[in-house]
Amino acid sequence: MDKHYVGSEIGQLRSVMLHRPNLSLKRLTPSNCQELLFDDVLSVERAGEEHDVFANTLRGEGVEVLLLTDLLTQTLDVIDAKAWLLETQISDYRLGPAFASDIRGWLADMPHRELARHLSGGLTYAEIPTYIQNMVVDTHEATDFIMKPLPNHLFTRDTSCWIYNGVSINPMAKAARQRETNNLRAIYRWHPAFTDGNFIKYYGDDNINYDHATLEGGDVLVIGRGAVLIGLSERTTPQGVEFLAESLFKHQQATRVIAVELPKHRSCMHLDTVMTHIDIDTFSVYPEVVRKDAQCWTLTPDGKGGIKRHQEPNLLHAIEQALGIDQVRLITTGGDAFEAEREQWNDANNVLTVRPGVVIGYERNIWTNEKYDKAGITVLPIPGDELGRGRGGARCMSCPLERDGI
Ligand SMILES: NC(=[NH2+])NCCC[C@H](N)C(=O)O
C-alpha cells in the first residue's frame, strides 16, 4: 500500500482493512451477546469461512486485503506501541496497580500474534497463570473478563474511516466498542505502513473522554467531489460531526458536509444500514428511513476557521448539488413491505461498492439483489447467515484505505 487516500464511495477500491474474527466470537454467549451488540451467538467456524469468501471476493477484484490482527501484531513489534497498548488496554484504574502490573508483565512476554489475539479477543481470569494472585482475582469468577472481547472489530468501517487524504479515528458511542479505537490509534501511530505521516488525522487520535462528541464510520459516506454525507444516528452526534467538519475544512479536504438526521433505532444504527452509494448518480436506500424531507443541513467553511450551516429542505437536492448531477437514482430495498423490512435488517442496503456499478452484498437478500440486477448493478454475492447476526454487511465489515475519486 503506497497511498492512503479515499476519494469516494464508488471509485475503484484498491486496499481495505478487514478483521477475521475468531476468539472474540468464541466468547459470545446468550447472556452477554446483547451487551456486546450482537443479536445472537454465532457458529465461529462458519463465520470465519464466510469472512474468507468475503476477503477472497475482494482479492479476486484486485483489492489488497489487510487484516487487523496482522497489523496489530506488526504494531506490537514497535517497543513504544506495545508499551502504550498495554498501558492503555490494561490500565491501573481498571485492574488496580498491582494486578495491572502483573498482567502487563505476563502479556508482555507473549508472542505478539498471541497478544494481538487477546487485544481483540479479550482475556478471562481462567486464562492467567496461577502465580498471579491478587484480591481482584479472588473476587472474580474464572469466566469473568479481565479484558472484555471486542467482537465488533469485525466492523472495521466504524472504528476508523478514511476521508480523502486523512483518517478519523473514531470516539465510539457504545461502551462495548470504545476500546477498539485504541487498537487503531496504535496502528496509525506506529505501524510502518502509516509512519510516513503522509496523511491527516482529523479527529480522535488522543485517548481522552470525548463525552457526547461521538462519531462512527458507518455514518460517514465519502460521496466524492469534496463532499461528505454524514448520518446523525444512534451513534454519531451533531457534536461529533462539528469536530470532524471543522477539521476537514481546516485541512482543506472537503468543501461541504451534508448532515442528515436518522431515527435512533438499532435497525438503522448507522447511515450505511439504510443508504449506500453504488454508482455516480445511484444510491441504495431503505425508503422507510431515508426520506427526502428528513432534517438535513449543509455545512461549509465560514472562511474564519468555523462552520456555516444551512438547513436543506430536501436531502436529495442537497446531494445532487454536491455531486453536480441532475437527478439521483434510488434503488430501494426489494420485495413487499415485509420482505423489505426483513432484508434491510439483514443489510440488503449495506453493500460495498468495488467500482462504479459493482457491489458486494449478502446472497440471502434475494429481493433487493434482483432489483440491483434489473438496474444494471452487478452484485458479487457472499454468504452471510452467520456474519449477519452481528448486524452488519459488506460495507460495515470493510475499512477502505485506498480508493479512487470520481
Ligand atoms: N457500519 C455499520 N452499519 N456497522 C454495524 C455495526 C454492528 C455492530 N454490532 C454494532 O452494533 O456496533
Side-chain angles (χ1 to χ4, degrees), residues 305-348:
I307 292 174
K308 231 171 31 195
R309 181 171 31 86
H310 166 75
Q311 182 129 25
E312 296 282 355
N314 184 317
L315 167 66
L316 301 182
H317 289 170
I319 295 173
E320 285 156 2
Q321 245 182 13
L323 291 178
I325 55 178
D326 289 340
Q327 202 175 10
V328 293
R329 180 168 72 127
L330 301 182
I331 302 177
T332 55
T333 325
D336 64 22
F338 289 96
E339 287 149 358
E341 188 178 343
R342 286 159 52 87
E343 292 207 345
Q344 184 276 330
W345 177 246
N346 284 314
D347 289 289

Coordinates of all heavy atoms in Angstrom, one line a residue, residues 305-348:
G305 N -12.3 29.8 10.0 CA -12.0 28.6 10.8 C -13.2 27.9 11.4 O -13.1 26.9 12.1
G306 N -14.4 28.5 11.1 CA -15.6 27.9 11.7 C -16.5 27.3 10.6 O -16.1 27.1 9.4
I307 N -17.8 27.1 10.9 CA -18.7 26.4 10.0 C -19.9 27.3 9.8 O -20.5 27.9 10.7 CB -19.1 25.1 10.7 CG1 -18.0 24.1 10.9 CG2 -20.3 24.5 10.0 CD1 -18.3 22.9 11.6
K308 N -20.3 27.3 8.5 CA -21.6 28.0 8.1 C -22.6 26.8 8.0 O -22.3 25.8 7.4 CB -21.4 28.7 6.8 CG -21.8 30.1 6.8 CD -21.5 30.9 5.6 CE -21.4 30.2 4.3 NZ -20.7 31.0 3.3
R309 N -23.8 27.0 8.5 CA -24.8 26.0 8.5 C -26.0 26.4 7.7 O -26.5 27.5 8.0 CB -25.1 25.6 9.9 CG -26.1 24.6 10.1 CD -26.2 24.2 11.6 NE -25.9 25.3 12.5 CZ -26.8 26.2 12.9 NH1 -28.1 26.1 12.6 NH2 -26.5 27.2 13.7
H310 N -26.5 25.6 6.8 CA -27.7 26.0 6.0 C -28.6 24.8 6.1 O -28.3 23.7 5.7 CB -27.2 26.2 4.6 CG -28.3 26.3 3.6 ND1 -29.1 27.4 3.5 CD2 -28.7 25.4 2.6 CE1 -30.0 27.1 2.5 NE2 -29.8 25.9 2.0
Q311 N -29.8 25.0 6.5 CA -30.8 23.9 6.6 C -31.4 23.6 5.2 O -31.7 24.6 4.4 CB -32.0 24.3 7.5 CG -33.0 23.2 7.7 CD -33.3 22.9 9.1 OE1 -33.1 23.7 10.0 NE2 -33.7 21.6 9.4
E312 N -31.4 22.4 4.8 CA -31.8 22.0 3.5 C -33.2 21.5 3.5 O -33.5 20.6 4.3 CB -30.9 20.8 3.0 CG -29.4 21.2 2.8 CD -29.2 21.9 1.5 OE1 -30.1 22.1 0.7 OE2 -28.0 22.4 1.3
P313 N -34.1 21.9 2.6 CA -35.4 21.4 2.6 C -35.5 20.0 2.0 O -36.5 19.3 2.2 CB -36.2 22.4 1.6 CG -35.1 23.1 0.9 CD -33.8 23.0 1.6
N314 N -34.5 19.6 1.2 CA -34.6 18.3 0.5 C -33.2 17.6 0.4 O -32.3 18.1 -0.2 CB -35.2 18.6 -0.9 CG -35.4 17.3 -1.7 OD1 -34.6 16.4 -1.7 ND2 -36.5 17.3 -2.4
L315 N -33.2 16.5 1.1 CA -31.9 15.7 1.2 C -31.4 15.4 -0.2 O -30.2 15.6 -0.5 CB -32.1 14.4 2.0 CG -31.0 13.4 1.9 CD1 -29.7 13.9 2.5 CD2 -31.4 12.1 2.5
L316 N -32.3 15.0 -1.1 CA -31.8 14.5 -2.4 C -31.3 15.7 -3.2 O -30.2 15.6 -3.9 CB -32.9 13.8 -3.2 CG -33.5 12.6 -2.5 CD1 -34.6 11.9 -3.3 CD2 -32.4 11.6 -2.2
H317 N -31.9 16.8 -3.1 CA -31.4 18.0 -3.9 C -30.0 18.4 -3.3 O -29.1 18.8 -4.1 CB -32.3 19.2 -3.7 CG -33.6 19.0 -4.5 ND1 -34.7 19.8 -4.4 CD2 -33.9 18.0 -5.4 CE1 -35.7 19.4 -5.2 NE2 -35.2 18.3 -5.9
A318 N -29.9 18.3 -2.0 CA -28.6 18.6 -1.4 C -27.5 17.7 -2.0 O -26.4 18.2 -2.3 CB -28.6 18.5 0.1
I319 N -27.8 16.4 -2.2 CA -26.8 15.5 -2.7 C -26.5 15.8 -4.2 O -25.4 15.8 -4.6 CB -27.3 14.1 -2.5 CG1 -27.4 13.7 -1.0 CG2 -26.4 13.1 -3.3 CD1 -28.0 12.3 -0.7
E320 N -27.6 16.1 -4.9 CA -27.5 16.4 -6.3 C -26.6 17.6 -6.5 O -25.7 17.6 -7.4 CB -28.9 16.7 -7.0 CG -29.6 15.4 -7.2 CD -31.2 15.6 -7.3 OE1 -31.6 16.7 -7.2 OE2 -31.9 14.5 -7.4
Q321 N -26.8 18.6 -5.7 CA -26.0 19.8 -5.8 C -24.5 19.5 -5.5 O -23.6 20.0 -6.2 CB -26.5 20.8 -4.8 CG -27.0 22.1 -5.4 CD -27.5 23.1 -4.4 OE1 -27.2 23.0 -3.2 NE2 -28.2 24.1 -4.9
A322 N -24.3 18.7 -4.4 CA -22.9 18.4 -4.0 C -22.2 17.7 -5.1 O -21.0 17.9 -5.4 CB -22.9 17.6 -2.7
L323 N -22.9 16.8 -5.8 CA -22.3 15.9 -6.8 C -22.3 16.6 -8.2 O -21.7 16.1 -9.1 CB -22.9 14.5 -6.8 CG -22.7 13.7 -5.6 CD1 -23.4 12.3 -5.7 CD2 -21.1 13.4 -5.4
G324 N -23.1 17.6 -8.3 CA -23.2 18.3 -9.6 C -23.9 17.4 -10.6 O -23.5 17.3 -11.8
I325 N -25.0 16.7 -10.2 CA -25.7 15.8 -11.1 C -27.2 16.3 -11.1 O -27.6 17.0 -10.2 CB -25.7 14.3 -10.7 CG1 -26.1 14.1 -9.2 CG2 -24.3 13.8 -10.8 CD1 -26.2 12.7 -8.8
D326 N -27.9 15.9 -12.2 CA -29.3 16.4 -12.4 C -30.2 15.7 -11.4 O -31.0 16.3 -10.8 CB -29.8 16.1 -13.8 CG -29.1 17.1 -14.8 OD1 -28.5 18.1 -14.3 OD2 -29.0 16.7 -16.0
Q327 N -30.1 14.4 -11.3 CA -31.1 13.7 -10.5 C -30.4 12.4 -10.0 O -29.8 11.6 -10.7 CB -32.3 13.3 -11.4 CG -33.4 13.0 -10.5 CD -34.7 12.8 -11.3 OE1 -34.7 12.6 -12.5 NE2 -35.8 12.7 -10.6
V328 N -30.6 12.2 -8.7 CA -30.1 10.9 -8.1 C -31.1 9.8 -8.4 O -32.3 10.0 -8.5 CB -29.8 10.9 -6.6 CG1 -28.7 11.9 -6.2 CG2 -31.1 11.2 -5.8
R329 N -30.5 8.6 -8.6 CA -31.3 7.5 -8.9 C -31.3 6.6 -7.6 O -30.2 6.3 -7.1 CB -30.7 6.7 -10.1 CG -31.5 5.4 -10.5 CD -30.9 4.9 -11.8 NE -29.6 4.4 -11.7 CZ -29.3 3.1 -12.2 NH1 -30.2 2.4 -12.7 NH2 -28.1 2.7 -12.1
L330 N -32.5 6.2 -7.2 CA -32.6 5.4 -5.9 C -33.0 4.0 -6.3 O -34.0 3.8 -7.0 CB -33.6 6.1 -5.0 CG -33.3 7.5 -4.5 CD1 -34.4 7.9 -3.5 CD2 -31.9 7.7 -3.9
I331 N -32.3 3.1 -5.7 CA -32.7 1.7 -5.8 C -33.2 1.3 -4.4 O -32.4 1.4 -3.4 CB -31.6 0.7 -6.2 CG1 -31.1 1.2 -7.6 CG2 -32.1 -0.7 -6.3 CD1 -29.9 0.4 -8.2
T332 N -34.4 1.0 -4.2 CA -35.0 0.8 -2.9 C -34.9 -0.7 -2.5 O -34.9 -1.6 -3.4 CB -36.4 1.3 -2.8 OG1 -37.2 0.7 -3.8 CG2 -36.4 2.8 -2.9
T333 N -35.0 -1.0 -1.3 CA -35.0 -2.4 -0.8 C -36.1 -3.2 -1.5 O -37.2 -2.6 -1.7 CB -35.2 -2.4 0.8 OG1 -34.6 -1.2 1.3 CG2 -34.7 -3.6 1.4
G334 N -35.8 -4.4 -1.8 CA -36.8 -5.2 -2.6 C -37.9 -5.9 -1.9 O -37.9 -6.0 -0.6
G335 N -38.8 -6.4 -2.6 CA -39.9 -7.2 -2.1 C -41.1 -6.3 -1.5 O -41.0 -5.1 -1.7
D336 N -42.1 -7.0 -0.9 CA -43.2 -6.3 -0.3 C -42.7 -5.6 1.0 O -41.5 -5.8 1.4 CB -44.4 -7.2 -0.2 CG -44.2 -8.3 0.8 OD1 -43.2 -8.2 1.7 OD2 -44.9 -9.3 0.7
A337 N -43.6 -5.0 1.7 CA -43.2 -4.3 2.9 C -42.5 -5.2 3.9 O -41.5 -4.8 4.6 CB -44.4 -3.6 3.5
F338 N -43.0 -6.5 4.0 CA -42.4 -7.4 5.0 C -41.0 -7.8 4.5 O -40.1 -7.8 5.3 CB -43.3 -8.7 5.1 CG -44.6 -8.4 5.8 CD1 -45.7 -8.1 5.1 CD2 -44.6 -8.4 7.2 CE1 -46.9 -7.9 5.7 CE2 -45.8 -8.2 7.8 CZ -47.0 -7.9 7.1
E339 N -40.9 -8.2 3.2 CA -39.6 -8.6 2.7 C -38.6 -7.5 2.8 O -37.5 -7.7 3.1 CB -39.8 -9.1 1.2 CG -40.5 -10.4 1.2 CD -41.4 -10.6 -0.1 OE1 -41.5 -9.6 -0.9 OE2 -41.9 -11.7 -0.2
A340 N -39.0 -6.3 2.5 CA -38.1 -5.2 2.5 C -37.6 -4.9 3.9 O -36.4 -4.7 4.2 CB -38.8 -3.9 2.0
E341 N -38.5 -5.0 4.9 CA -38.1 -4.8 6.3 C -37.1 -5.9 6.7 O -36.1 -5.6 7.4 CB -39.3 -4.7 7.2 CG -38.9 -4.3 8.6 CD -40.1 -4.1 9.6 OE1 -41.2 -4.0 9.1 OE2 -39.8 -4.1 10.8
R342 N -37.4 -7.1 6.3 CA -36.5 -8.2 6.7 C -35.1 -8.1 6.0 O -34.1 -8.3 6.6 CB -37.2 -9.5 6.3 CG -38.3 -10.0 7.2 CD -39.2 -11.0 6.5 NE -38.5 -12.1 5.9 CZ -38.2 -13.2 6.6 NH1 -38.5 -13.3 7.9 NH2 -37.5 -14.2 6.0
E343 N -35.2 -7.7 4.7 CA -33.9 -7.6 4.0 C -33.1 -6.4 4.5 O -31.8 -6.5 4.6 CB -34.1 -7.6 2.5 CG -34.7 -8.9 2.0 CD -34.4 -9.2 0.5 OE1 -34.0 -8.3 -0.2 OE2 -34.5 -10.4 0.1
Q344 N -33.7 -5.3 4.8 CA -32.9 -4.2 5.4 C -32.3 -4.6 6.7 O -31.1 -4.3 6.9 CB -33.9 -3.0 5.6 CG -33.1 -1.7 6.1 CD -32.8 -1.7 7.6 OE1 -33.6 -2.2 8.4 NE2 -31.8 -1.0 8.0
W345 N -33.0 -5.3 7.5 CA -32.4 -5.8 8.8 C -31.2 -6.7 8.5 O -30.3 -6.7 9.3 CB -33.5 -6.6 9.5 CG -33.2 -7.2 10.8 CD1 -33.2 -8.6 11.1 CD2 -32.8 -6.6 12.0 NE1 -32.8 -8.8 12.4 CE2 -32.6 -7.6 13.0 CE3 -32.7 -5.3 12.4 CZ2 -32.3 -7.3 14.3 CZ3 -32.4 -5.0 13.8 CH2 -32.2 -6.0 14.7
N346 N -31.2 -7.4 7.4 CA -30.1 -8.3 7.0 C -29.2 -7.6 6.0 O -28.5 -8.2 5.2 CB -30.6 -9.6 6.5 CG -31.1 -10.5 7.6 OD1 -30.4 -10.6 8.6 ND2 -32.3 -11.1 7.5
D347 N -29.1 -6.3 6.1 CA -28.1 -5.5 5.4 C -28.2 -5.5 3.9 O -27.1 -5.4 3.2 CB -26.7 -5.9 5.9 CG -26.5 -5.4 7.3 OD1 -26.4 -4.1 7.5 OD2 -26.6 -6.2 8.3
A348 N -29.4 -5.6 3.3 CA -29.5 -5.6 1.9 C -29.0 -4.2 1.3 O -28.6 -4.2 0.1 CB -31.0 -5.8 1.5

